Amino acid sequence: NAGVMQNPRHLVRRRGQEARLRCSPMKGHSHVYWYRQLPEEGLKFMVYLQKENIIDESGMPKERFSAEFPKEGPSILRIQQVVRGDSAAYFCASHIDGYNEQFFGPGTRLTVL
Amino acid sequence: GIQVEQSPPDLILQEGANSTLRCNFSDSVNNLQWFHQNPWGQLINLFYIPSGTKQNGRLSATTVATERYSLLYISSSQTTDSGVYFCAVERDRGSTLGRLYFGRGTQLTVWP
């Protein structure tokens, strides 16, 4: 049973470009979370999704950031018009219905030049 | 939200020593997890322990939910134990929304 998959592992963008981060949860997991880890900081919640629904986006910046978890395919975290302050590690986590232990992917390290 | 405080922030040990890491939280929780973030940045699940005591090899953990703290014990530490240890909790609000609140972590360095 493969773990949570994230790609790309490393992403370099110039200011103003778009970043698309992908997350495939563990098989059978229908709950997906995105967290962001800024340098020298702990992890901060961004958004919680179930298939085709955003359950809680209270941790997501109001502008430029969006997330989806379609019926088919991976969850996508999209950052438009990236700025240097978006440079961080972005982690995806998932858990199965009825059991709330979260398992994390390896993260995507975004660098904005 | 919920406050999660970890101590100590930094810990330096000689190989073979034992250590205790602490996590205090400010509200009732229905999930508490300990993670190890290795030097490559990956988050490894150590324990899912909203209450009680668990052991896994040289590591063990205890959560006393009524007193709002958890302890992670590392015995006979090895250099591969180095990294940051995070405690994360999910607040118990009846209907779960699932988000984890993380502490700032304990940076552990084990010297040979």
Side-chain angles (χ1 to χ4, degrees), chain B:
Chain B
I2 184 171
Q3 305 303 312
V4 182
E5 294 182 358
Q6 291 187 243
S7 59
D10 297 280
L11 189 56
I12 300 174
L13 299 174
Q14 194 98 41
E15 208 168 23
N18 302 328
S19 60
T20 301
L21 283 58
R22 187 177 179 103
C23 171
N24 293 333
F25 44 94
S26 62
D27 206 342
S28 300
V29 299
N30 60 14
N31 180 6
L32 187 145
Q33 293 184 240
W34 282 98
F35 298 91
H36 175 213
Q37 187 167 39
N38 63 24
W40 295 270
Q42 294 179 316
L43 281 164
I44 311 298
N45 285 43
L46 296 178
F47 293 102
Y48 169 78
I49 188 165
S51 64
T53 297
K54 290 187 178 179
Q55 178 151 12
N56 184 4
R58 296 181 295 104
L59 273 60
S60 63
T62 295
T63 297
V64 184
T66 53
E67 297 187 23
R68 300 182 182 168
Y69 73 89
S70 183
L71 301 173
L72 177 69
Y73 305 96
I74 305 174
S75 64
S76 304
S77 55
Q78 301 175 357
T79 56
T80 51
D81 295 332
S82 295
V84 183
Y85 288 80
F86 287 107
C87 168
V89 303
E90 177 188 343
R91 189 175 168 193
D92 183 1
R93 293 192 294 178
S95 62
T96 178
L97 280 183
R99 62 187 295 180
L100 289 175
Y101 293 85
F102 280 78
R104 295 294 297 265
T106 292
Q107 172 76 58
L108 174 65
T109 304
V110 181
W111 293 99

Side-chain angles (χ1 to χ4, degrees), chain A residues 19-23 32 34 47 49 60 66-70 73-78:
Chain A
R20 291 170 70 89
L21 288 61
R22 295 175 194 78
C23 168
V32 167
W34 286 91
V47 62
L49 310 104
M60 195 98 97
S66 62
E68 62 176 7
F69 188 17
S75 176
I76 306 287
L77 179 68
R78 183 180 175 206

Side-chain angles (χ1 to χ4, degrees), chain A residues 26-46:
Chain A
M26 289 177 69
K27 188 177 181 181
H29 287 199
S30 58
H31 302 255
V32 167
Y33 304 79
W34 286 91
Y35 296 85
R36 177 166 67 174
Q37 185 175 31
L38 292 165
E40 308 300 322
E41 291 192 13
L43 285 88
K44 305 283 188 200
F45 166 81
M46 298 182 75

